[in-house]
Amino acid sequence: MSTPYPFTAVVGQTDLRLALLLNAVSPAVGGVLVRGEKGTAKSTAVRALSALLPQVDVIPGCRFSCAPAAPDPACPDGPHEAGPAAARPARMVELPVGASEDRLVGALDIERALAEGVKAFEPGLLADAHRGILYVDEVNLLHDHLIDLLLDAAAMGASYVEREGVSVRHAARFLLVGTMNPEEGELRPQLLDRFGLTVEVAASREPAQRVEVVRRRLAYEDDPAAFATRWAGDEHDVRARVVAARALLPQVRLGDASLLQIAATCAGFEVDGMRADIVMARTATALAAWAGRTDVRKEDVRQAALLALPHRRRRNPFDAPGLDEDKLDEILDRFPDEEPENEPDPEPEGPDDSGPDDGGPEDGGPDGGGGGVPPQGGPEAPEAPETPETPETPDTQDDPAPSAPDAPEAPAPQPASQEGAAPEQAAVRAAEPFRTKMLSVPGLGEGASGRRSRARTAHGRTTGAQRPRGHLTKLHLAATVQAAAPHQKARGRTGRGLVVRKDDLRQATREGREGNLVLFVVDASGSMAARQRMSAVKGAVLSLLLDAYQRRDKVGLITFRGAAAELALPPTSSVDAAAARLEQLPTGGRTPLAAGLLKAHEVLRIERLRDPSRRPLLVVVTDGRATSAGSTGPAGSTGGDPRELAGRSARLLQAEGVASVVVDCESGPVRLGLAGVLATDLGGPAVTLDGLRADSLAGLVKNVRTASDTHRRAA
């Protein structure tokens, strides 16, 4: 719709609105990452923010938004002469998830550069976002090469485009705002750290507040212009308050006591690097300016920590987000607050009361919402709702309750002859994860960019050349010259130049890495139920999940026990969701290995239809025993020898070219080697739990022995 939803009409979401307003007051805070479930007004609030930003002065006709007072000396449209300035609203530029590199950084016209020798450059989204907002919806789904470009631009404040000796540079300083649903996967740590603040949002569970959300949304869709007019007064008040806070910001004093509180907080939460300290200092200063004060107080530091630290203290995707507020208070209480010299009695409330008294519903402004809205003012609101959020990752690893106490019902080798679910044993905690060996899919794929298997990609090392399909992106200069050379006489070449035509152009083909679908098939039967073994198995799978996160894979989890196999987690990019399901995995019952493999076959068939280019890697975690046929037929039929059914199921997967790895969990002095037989049927290798470690001595000896055998046969 042409009329944006008013910022002050957003119901609830106090922390979200506060974080956005603080960035409007002080862009140096560094942007906001908004994490939360779908349908929580993330995008609505971000899109409404641009209307609250003051206008920017630009040089007329400059495509790169140079400021008249300090134009960029290297601007491609420069040099700029002194002249009158033009004012325009601050832009909010949206970066689509599927955008190309050329759309983001701009494009050089290679054909004109070769034929005419001119540097024709079309600016991209980074140029449009200069001195404004760059908004990335579903930022966690952005391709890696685009994330790399964003990181470079955010770090240097400039964008560089270089191709075949032609180079363009322009300023690109923007407020980076991203939204994401954690269920769809996490962000790379490098990009995560580039966001100044983070906010976890969730839909309200208060019926009155939900009613108000629906009422306002319906009123807006019925008549957007009238709805916006109704909130125009509140919008004007908040805009004026942003301007006043910006003017006050240079006068805010950040004393030594506040700096010590900030440093102690970052050190106490073991945050990496110094960016967190700097962001906290800027955020606390912006909070004071927003409250109309010239001194930073302890409550400002506390609120700044709640916004700036949660995403920086996570060591891996399995750590629960958020801060321990009791620990935060304990750290801050060690330091006395600085005595303000002149205290101009600030306004009683923070950004949530920035003019919401329209003729509309009660508390209609940023704190909006009929009933049930807690009175959380900006800097005066230490009770920011950080803890109850992220419902999608319930107690992943931090819930030891069910795991420790169970008595030593030791081996549980093969539970009784009950077909189906034997008595379940309580879930066992996973052992500490470790760095795993590199597992990859053989061959050359064409899937989404990642870090696991070889693939033809837009980025990587050049391996050849081909005629361009559509728009030329990466010119292969040597191949282009080679294609043009035989035709020079026929084209009447004179002098030392080379006549190049469009048909001669060749595009570089490149090889990089792709992300795969890693489907885990985990044996949860009685033969795996010994506590020590199951703990090691879960630790190994957790390690592989962490490896999948780092390599940008999708993951899925199938478990089999008793009489059937279950899809515990459909393929997703959220490895922390997989870790949560793994942590709660019960064990016991017979071993329907064939049912687990056939379930994997069905899941892979469906995923192949959804995403044909993403190649699968099947990881079967088992001791290889098959003591039950399970529900293997289309109608849940059972029968036949369990081992034979498992072998046939494995050979079916091999025949379809599914790359597989068997993690052999068999232990003890006497081993049957059934996992190795299963690996042979699947056409993949078998690796022990110990051999899965990247620094495994057993794996090193095995590799050396294999190399020696190969050399001996060659000799």
Side-chain angles (χ1 to χ4, degrees):
M1 296 183 182
S2 56
T3 305
Y5 192 91
F7 185 85
T8 50
V10 174
V11 178
Q13 307 299 8
T14 308
D15 283 351
L16 169 58
R17 288 179 288 105
L18 174 59
L20 293 172
L21 287 170
L22 291 176
N23 275 275
V25 170
S26 175
V29 166
V32 188
L33 174 65
V34 187
R35 297 162 43 94
E37 58 196 28
K38 50 190 175 292
T40 49
K42 301 188 298 291
S43 301
T44 299
V46 173
R47 292 190 176 101
L49 175 66
S50 59
L52 301 179
L53 298 181
Q55 291 193 329
V56 294
D57 291 332
V58 297
I59 295 175
C62 178
R63 298 174 297 165
F64 300 88
S65 302
C66 283
D72 182 4
C75 176
D77 284 355
H80 296 295
E81 302 289 339
R88 63 160 175 79
R91 289 178 183 154
M92 193 198 69
V93 177
E94 292 196 43
L95 173 60
V97 170
S100 65
E101 179 183 344
D102 288 347
R103 185 70 189 99
L104 178 62
V105 301
L108 286 170
D109 192 331
I110 302 294
E111 296 174 24
R112 286 189 64 193
L114 286 174
E116 304 173 27
V118 297
K119 194 189 301 183
F121 180 72
E122 185 66 30
L125 296 177
L126 290 180
D128 292 342
H130 179 48
R131 304 177 66 202
I133 302 172
L134 181 63
Y135 171 49
V136 189
D137 194 13
E138 306 294 351
V139 63
N140 51 328
L141 303 183
L142 203 61
H143 288 298
D144 272 5
H145 68 284
L146 296 183
I147 288 179
D148 292 335
L149 293 169
L150 273 182
L151 287 173
D152 291 342
M156 297 184 292
S159 174
Y160 293 84
V161 183
E162 299 189 15
R163 251 178 226 168
E164 278 66 48
V166 183
S167 178
V168 173
R169 173 216 169 271
H170 65 82
R173 290 182 294 275
F174 46 82
L175 177 63
L176 183 60
V177 180
T179 55
M180 59 175 282
N181 184 345
E183 290 180 347
E184 296 171 337
E186 288 291 343
L187 273 178
R188 285 171 53 183
Q190 297 94 326
L191 183 58
L192 200 60
D193 191 46
R194 289 294 175 188
F195 288 98
L197 310 179
T198 186
V199 177
E200 300 277 341
V201 296
S204 172
R205 299 299 182 257
E206 280 285 337
Q209 197 171 29
R210 295 175 75 96
V211 166
E212 187 59 32
V213 171
V214 175
R215 181 181 292 125
R216 293 188 191 183
R217 189 68 202 184
L218 294 178
Y220 170 70
E221 292 177 356
D222 287 344
D223 192 342
F227 187 83
T229 301
R230 173 184 167 191
W231 294 94
D234 295 334
E235 293 281 290
H236 177 270
D237 291 344
V238 175
R239 192 179 301 111
R241 191 171 175 187
V242 169
V243 173
R246 278 192 174 190
L248 183 62
L249 188 65
Q251 305 172 36
V252 177
R253 186 177 68 90
L254 184 66
D256 289 343
S258 298
L259 283 171
L260 193 57
Q261 292 166 4
I262 290 170
T265 301
C266 293
F269 283 102
E270 301 180 356
V271 178
D272 293 335
M274 295 298 299
R275 184 173 281 117
D277 303 63
I278 296 169
V279 171
M280 271 190 68
R282 289 172 174 164
T283 305
T285 305
L287 281 161
W290 178 256
R293 288 188 269 103
T294 57
D295 63 290
V296 174
R297 298 180 180 175
K298 186 182 291 185
E299 58 261 32
D300 300 328
V301 175
R302 186 184 193 279
Q303 184 67 47
L306 292 174
L307 293 172
L309 296 189
H311 60 302
R312 292 187 166 90
R313 58 163 292 277
R314 300 186 78 187
R315 292 295 187 273
N316 63 59
F318 310 136
D319 291 340
L323 283 186
D324 182 342
E325 296 194 37
D326 291 336
K327 180 179 178 181
L328 175 60
D329 291 333
E330 180 186 335
I331 293 172
L332 292 178
D333 287 344
R334 298 176 197 158
F335 304 93
D337 204 351
E338 220 167 352
E339 289 292 331
E341 295 173 7
N342 312 328
E343 191 161 323
D345 222 296
E347 298 179 24
E349 298 291 347
D352 305 321
D353 296 314
S354 51
D357 291 336
D358 188 60
E362 179 184 356
D363 278 332
D367 202 26
V373 186
Q376 293 151 307
E380 311 282 329
E383 305 90 14
E386 294 288 311
T387 43
E389 294 164 353
T390 59
E392 58 273 40
T393 54
D395 13 39
T396 59
Q397 283 182 294
D398 300 325
D399 185 13
S403 55
D406 277 27
E409 292 165 325
Q414 274 147 339
S417 56
Q418 298 149 307
E419 187 81 19
E424 287 186 4
Q425 298 191 13
V428 180
R429 272 204 83 109
E432 193 67 24
F434 52 84
R435 191 166 64 90
T436 66
K437 284 184 175 180
M438 171 69 167
L439 303 176
S440 62
V441 178
L444 195 63
E446 295 181 342
S449 67
R451 295 186 181 82
R452 185 171 297 279
S453 306
R454 294 173 53 224
R456 297 183 186 90
T457 59
H459 299 267
R461 64 186 182 89
T462 301
T463 57
Q466 64 181 15
R467 289 182 181 274
R469 301 171 184 171
H471 181 65
L472 176 67
T473 53
K474 301 289 184 182
L475 178 74
H476 195 297
L477 190 57
T480 299
V481 171
Q482 189 175 359
H487 308 291
Q488 296 306 297
K489 186 174 181 181
R491 293 173 185 173
R493 180 180 69 124
T494 58
R496 300 176 63 184
L498 185 69
V499 180
V500 179
R501 294 181 179 172
K502 189 172 182 178
D503 290 344
D504 302 326
L505 297 177
R506 295 294 182 270
Q507 181 167 305
T509 57
R510 297 173 181 262
E511 183 178 308
R513 293 278 172 177
E514 67 176 359
N516 299 107
L517 166 60
V518 182
L519 183 61
F520 294 92
V521 181
V522 180
D523 186 348
S525 64
S527 63
M528 301 280 288
R531 299 193 64 80
Q532 190 172 6
R533 187 196 302 184
M534 199 61 201
S535 176
V537 167
K538 286 188 176 183
V541 178
L542 201 63
S543 305
L544 290 167
L545 282 172
L546 184 57
D547 182 67
Y549 162 72
Q550 294 167 342
R551 300 190 187 280
R552 313 301 289 172
D553 295 317
K554 289 180 72 173
V555 296
L557 177 64
I558 292 173
T559 64
F560 58 93
R561 58 184 291 272
E566 175 192 1
L567 180 60
L569 181 73
T572 174
S573 297
S574 178
V575 296
D576 50 346
R581 303 292 173 88
L582 180 71
E583 189 70 26
Q584 300 159 5
L585 178 66
T587 57
R590 292 198 170 202
T591 312
L593 178 56
L597 296 175
L598 290 177
K599 174 64 78 173
H601 179 269
E602 178 64 16
V603 170
L604 293 179
R605 183 186 67 81
I606 294 172
E607 287 302 309
R608 199 176 296 119
L609 296 174
R610 290 176 177 164
D611 189 357
S613 63
R614 189 180 288 269
R615 297 187 297 162
L617 174 63
L618 185 67
V619 180
V620 185
V621 185
T622 181
D623 57 8
R625 300 188 186 189
T627 60
S628 167
S631 301
T632 57
S637 59
T638 60
D641 179 71
R643 289 189 188 178
E644 177 57 29
L645 287 173
R648 292 210 315 256
S649 303
R651 289 189 291 273
L652 174 63
L653 288 162
Q654 181 189 16
E656 296 193 354
V658 177
S660 305
V661 175
V662 177
V663 179
D664 185 358
C665 302
E666 193 173 27
S667 60
V670 179
R671 305 195 181 192
L672 302 178
L674 297 177
V677 176
L678 176 64
T680 302
D681 288 334
L682 285 168
V687 58
T688 63
L689 287 174
D690 289 337
L692 193 61
R693 296 177 180 270
D695 54 355
S696 166
L697 181 63
L700 178 64
V701 172
K702 180 180 178 181
N703 291 340
V704 170
R705 185 182 302 147
T706 303
S708 301
D709 292 345
T710 304
H711 180 72
R712 193 182 304 112
R713 283 195 298 269

